[in-house]
Structures are given as C-alpha cells and as structure tokens.
Amino acid sequence: MELRDTDDAAPFLASDAPIVVKQQGGAWPSGLPEKVCANISTGPSLIPIDIGHDGYMAVIDPDTAFWSLIRKDRLSDTLTDPAFIQHIHDKDSIFAAEMSALRFGIAPSAVYFNPTERCNLNCTYCYLPEKMRRKGRHMTQRRLFEALEILLDFFRRYLPTGLRPQVIFHGSEPMLNRTAVFAAIERFADEIVFGVQTNGTLLDPEAIEFFTSHQISLGLSLDGPLAEITGRTRHTYAGGGIHERVIDVLKTLRGYRNHSVICTVTTENLEYLGEVVELFHDLEVPTCMLNPVRSTLAGGREVRPSDADLAEAYLRALDRSYELFQQSGRKLVVANFANIILAIVAPTARRLMCDISPCGGGRSFFAVDAHGDLFPCSEFIGMPDFRGGNLFAGGLENCFDTDAFRSVTGRTVEVIDPCRRCAIRNFCGAPCPAEVYGLHHDLLQRGAFCQFYWEQLRYAFRLIADGLESAYLWDDWEKATSTVFEMMIP
C-alpha cells in the first residue's frame, strides 16, 4: 500500500507487517539528537485508539492528524521506540504547517447561489423556513447576470490564473427560476463551472438535454427505495408523492457520469438504507450521499435518529455498497463517507469541506440568496444573524470580515468542549455550525452527531488496515497524488 496525497500530507498504513508508517517526505536523520518521548514535553502526542479491528490499533496525534496503525501486540514497544518517536518529532512542524494551511489558508473558490427562495416541495425536515419557500422571491435574469459579473470580478482578483470559480445553483428549488438559470449558464459557461442541486421533479427532457449537453453537474434527492418511504418526508404542499417522477429522471440520466443523488437519512428511512443503496446502484448512479438529517429546524429534529441507530444502519449500507461492487465491478461511491477516508489518507484531496474545523463556510465557499444577501453557507440562509452584507451593495469585499462570517470561520474545535480534548477532532470538525446554532443558539457546542462520526472513523480505519479503502473511493482519487514517505519498523 502507498500513501497518496496532493500536498505532502498525512500518514497511511495497511500491511501484515508489524508496523508500517507512511508520512510526508524527508530523509531519515543521519544521527539521532537528544531522546524524545511520546506524550511528554516536546514529544509528539500519540493517543492509542481502539478501531474495533482484530489486529490493529490506531495512534493519532490530535493536533496534526498524524496517524499510524500498529499491531496490538507491538503497541507498547512502538510508542517507546526511540527511532519511531524521534522521526515523528523531527517532522512535527511540517505536519502542523500542512494542517494549518488546510484549516486556515484556503481562499474562496465556490458559491452556493439560490436564484429563488421558493420550492415546489414541502419536505418535513427542510432547514429553510416554510414562509420563504412558499412565498419568497425569484431573482430576475438581469439581476442574476449582474450578480455573476460581480462574483467573476472578485474571483479574477483572488483565484490563480486559469482556475474557474464554481457556482452551484442551490435551493429552495432553482428550477422554479429556470429561464434565468439557463440563460446564466449559457452566458457564463466559459468562465464559470456550474452545478445545479435540484429535487428533480421539474427536470423535463428539454432541461435534461440542456444540462447534459453543457456537462453541468446535477445533484438530485431521493429518500427511499419505494414511493411510500420517500413520501414520508418528501412531498408537495398538498401531500402528493414525487418518488416515481425522480426515478424517471434518474433512469434518463443513466450513463451520465456527472450526476449524484442525496438521500437524507431520518428515522423514516433508516431501516431501508441498504435498499436505497441497491436502488441507486441499479440505476447506475455514480455517486450518492447518505446525509444525516439536519436538525436546524423543528421538522428535522422530529425525524432525527439516535447516533447509535444511525451508525448501525449507515455502516450496514456501506457494507452493502461494497458487496454490490464485488458482485458487479461497478462502484457506487458514498461521497460523504469517501470524504472521511480521504481526510485520513489524503487530507488535501478531500472533496467536501464540512468535516473540518473551521468548516468551509466563509472560507472555501460562501452563499448568495435571491436578494443578493451573503451568508457563510447556504445552511445559514434564513438566519439573519449570519447575513454578512449584500452583493449588490458592495458587501462582497467586506463580508469575510463581518461578525456573521468571522463567527463561523473562527469556530474551531480548540474552543469547543469536549472537542478540544478529542483525539479525532481534526478528522471530524464538529459539524455543522448552522445545525449547532439551530439546536443551541450557540456555535460553540459540539456537532449533532458526535458518536456517529466516531463510528465512521473507526470503520474507515478498519478498511485501511485491511487494504480496502480504494473500493470506497472514486476511481481517480489517486491522480495528482504521490507517495511521499514510507517507514517500516520490523
């Protein structure tokens, strides 16, 4: 096995050898300086973690996210091995610098853009206020063009030459403002990488042809393997079902590699996650997300599963995705879990910025609503306390320095109890700040699914120990990565 990472990053292991440690580059020191001990003075902090594996334990440095998998019968010897500890100590400043760059050195390159406040569905758990979804406004085409020009001017000054910003038309339901969205994509296709997150119910053949011909990334939503299950949480204002309509769209999209599906996991579909995975695999969906329901508003809290129940069902669904891959040779990547694996084996290659502290909101991306108001993330739309200005009032340059944005970008695990004492704090990140605020009216609380994240991480480490992690990742995840260091202690 090899460590792969994009920027000389984190460690990696999987072997039958007693100990294998892979970490970023540098030559083995020619002579050892004064003795350094783990967990003492300036020595590295290495916390043993039970990952539920028969043969291996993990050791993690909570500050730098350095990790290694060590055979259980060699744990004590390894943590007192002078060469092993000294080498980690010698590289500690490099590890810390990389983690700092990942957490604090990223500039915005993407926007979640709500071109309308309205939605044609009334999902029970939606994090946006119902009044907004029922009676909100559309952004006019002229105003949308103006907004994109302002965003382009901003990104031209801050992004490297040749790198196009991303704009994801988000919701509510962007297809309710279809004419303006289509016109914007046609107008700015050469300058912006577009995506659309939609409930799928308004995607007629003309719309599908438009999006696929423009190679637009499409995200849809479906919460069950059967109409009765989906309809428990996703339906129209009159209670009408939408399951079969979305299934028809997914059948039409079969073979189009640039689409994905979100399944929001609630108490209403928890026991059916394996069947959801089977359905998505049968429909040849390339990527899905099994997202625990946001508890931001009361509707989400009413269908929120316990951490233990969520973890049990979620891991069974991951097992099923692996079985289907073994049977068919075709992957269904569960993107939010794949991101957990990447956070371990290749931190800078991760594709989602929720599971890190601070999260990506206000750092790697921000959100614009149908009024042009600016928020750290679309999850905060509808929360006035997190409005950081207005795009049309010259607020883009200054929004990142407002209290609204700084309260999110300054939310780190080091200032949250019990996260500051947690060994996996830089793999989890205590998400999601909008959800935490909705639950507690206080950002400095731990994430809503703390134990669930821990069980995901343990599962990921077990896969790595058994050399199975690539079966859960995108086929191209190793591109632009390299093995940067390997160390084996017999």
Side-chain angles (χ1 to χ4, degrees):
M1 283 294 184
E2 297 177 340
L3 165 64
R4 306 282 183 177
D5 209 324
T6 53
D7 284 309
D8 292 340
F12 183 69
L13 176 154
S15 174
D16 289 333
I19 307 164
V20 177
V21 181
K22 298 190 177 181
Q23 181 65 324
Q24 54 198 78
W28 183 261
S30 57
L32 295 179
E34 59 184 287
K35 183 177 180 180
V36 177
C37 299
N39 304 318
I40 296 175
S41 186
T42 62
S45 297
L46 297 175
I47 310 300
I49 300 294
D50 179 10
I51 61 171
H53 192 276
D54 290 339
Y56 285 99
M57 294 276 288
V59 293
I60 297 173
D61 183 330
D63 293 326
T64 65
F66 171 91
W67 62 271
S68 177
L69 293 177
I70 300 174
R71 292 194 64 85
K72 289 181 176 180
D73 59 0
R74 293 295 308 277
L75 182 64
S76 177
D77 290 343
T78 303
L79 291 181
T80 56
D81 184 292
F84 175 70
I85 300 303
Q86 184 66 52
H87 195 50
I88 298 172
H89 174 71
D90 291 345
K91 304 298 181 185
D92 187 70
S93 61
I94 301 173
F95 306 156
E98 183 186 63
M99 181 55 63
S100 178
L102 183 64
R103 296 178 64 195
F104 306 110
I106 297 176
S109 62
V111 181
Y112 289 90
F113 199 120
N114 287 20
T116 181
E117 293 181 304
R118 299 180 193 174
C119 188
N120 61 323
L121 300 187
N122 189 29
C123 301
T124 62
Y125 51 68
C126 187
Y127 59 85
L128 294 173
E130 183 176 342
K131 181 179 179 181
M132 177 188 296
R133 291 182 282 114
R134 278 183 178 268
K135 300 180 179 180
R137 65 171 292 177
H138 291 332
M139 182 177 283
T140 66
Q141 180 175 310
R142 180 187 64 80
R143 205 63 158 159
L144 179 54
F145 282 14
E146 182 183 349
L148 293 176
E149 290 285 6
I150 293 171
L151 291 170
L152 273 174
D153 180 66
F154 171 81
F155 286 121
R156 287 185 189 114
R157 284 181 283 122
Y158 292 101
L159 288 183
T161 302
L163 181 63
R164 290 188 295 165
Q166 292 180 298
V167 171
I168 300 93
F169 287 123
H170 210 260
S172 296
E173 177 46 51
M175 285 298 292
L176 287 174
N177 200 3
R178 167 180 175 147
T179 299
V181 167
F182 282 19
I185 290 172
E186 288 188 319
R187 171 82 173 266
F188 295 95
D190 293 336
E191 299 173 280
I192 296 172
V193 177
F194 285 104
V196 176
Q197 182 65 45
T198 171
N199 60 42
T201 61
L202 302 177
L203 291 179
D204 57 25
E206 180 186 1
I208 294 172
E209 171 60 27
F210 177 85
F211 287 135
T212 56
S213 65
H214 285 79
Q215 289 297 302
I216 302 301
S217 176
L218 279 177
L220 290 84
S221 296
L222 191 68
D223 284 359
L226 300 170
E228 190 273 326
I229 307 303
T230 297
R232 294 177 183 178
T233 52
R234 298 187 67 80
H235 45 66
T236 67
Y237 288 97
I242 52 87
H243 181 89
E244 296 303 333
R245 175 67 194 130
V246 178
I247 291 291
D248 287 343
V249 171
L250 290 173
K251 288 179 179 177
T252 304
L253 288 171
R254 184 181 271 131
Y256 182 60
R257 298 301 300 169
N258 208 12
H259 80 284
S260 61
V261 186
I262 292 175
C263 172
T264 299
V265 182
T266 69
T267 54
E268 300 303 305
N269 63 2
L270 194 64
E271 63 182 294
Y272 303 98
L273 289 190
E275 290 92 330
V276 169
V277 165
E278 291 171 359
L279 174 65
F280 292 168
H281 188 270
D282 182 61
L283 290 167
E284 298 181 23
V285 173
T287 303
C288 75
M289 296 180 72
L290 304 179
N291 284 349
V293 63
R294 288 282 186 243
S295 305
T296 309
L297 296 181
R301 293 192 282 274
E302 290 172 1
V303 292
R304 172 184 165 181
S306 70
D307 281 47
D309 290 344
L310 175 60
E312 181 180 359
Y314 187 90
L315 299 187
R316 279 203 311 266
L318 292 176
D319 288 342
R320 185 60 182 141
S321 74
Y322 180 73
E323 291 170 358
L324 292 168
F325 172 51
Q326 293 297 101
Q327 293 167 10
S328 68
R330 178 167 45 82
K331 292 180 185 178
L332 168 66
V333 176
V334 181
N336 47 325
F337 177 68
N339 209 59
I340 296 291
I341 297 179
L342 288 178
I344 300 171
V345 302
T348 57
R350 66 178 77 192
R351 301 190 182 189
L352 305 171
M353 293 296 289
C354 295
D355 310 325
I356 192 170
S357 153
C359 73
R363 293 197 309 123
S364 61
F365 57 81
F366 56 94
V368 179
D369 76 0
H371 299 266
D373 288 339
L374 297 157
F375 296 86
C377 174
S378 60
E379 300 273 352
F380 285 104
I381 291 176
M383 298 184 185
D385 290 347
F386 295 93
R387 177 186 177 275
N390 185 275
L391 191 68
F392 303 115
L396 182 54
E397 293 289 345
N398 300 319
C399 71
F400 303 100
D401 291 322
T402 62
D403 290 343
F405 273 60
R406 290 233 178 247
S407 64
V408 177
T409 59
R411 179 183 181 267
T412 67
V413 286
E414 287 82 3
V415 296
I416 300 171
D417 270 328
C419 305
R420 72 180 75 190
R421 303 186 300 276
C422 181
I424 67 166
R425 58 179 178 260
N426 280 317
F427 297 108
C428 164
C432 150
E435 181 178 32
V436 166
Y437 192 81
L439 283 168
H440 305 289
H441 211 69
D442 177 8
L443 285 174
L444 302 183
Q445 299 290 327
R446 67 177 179 171
F449 291 101
C450 179
Q451 190 64 32
F452 168 65
Y453 271 88
W454 167 227
E455 293 301 335
Q456 278 193 96
L457 197 76
R458 295 178 76 221
Y459 184 91
F461 271 123
R462 292 196 294 272
L463 294 177
I464 294 167
D466 292 334
L468 297 176
E469 71 285 346
S470 289
Y472 294 78
L473 295 172
W474 295 272
D475 287 337
D476 63 350
W477 78 272
E478 294 176 294
K479 289 184 178 178
T481 68
S482 61
T483 301
V484 291
F485 184 76
E486 179 171 352
M487 173 182 174
M488 180 176 291
I489 304 176

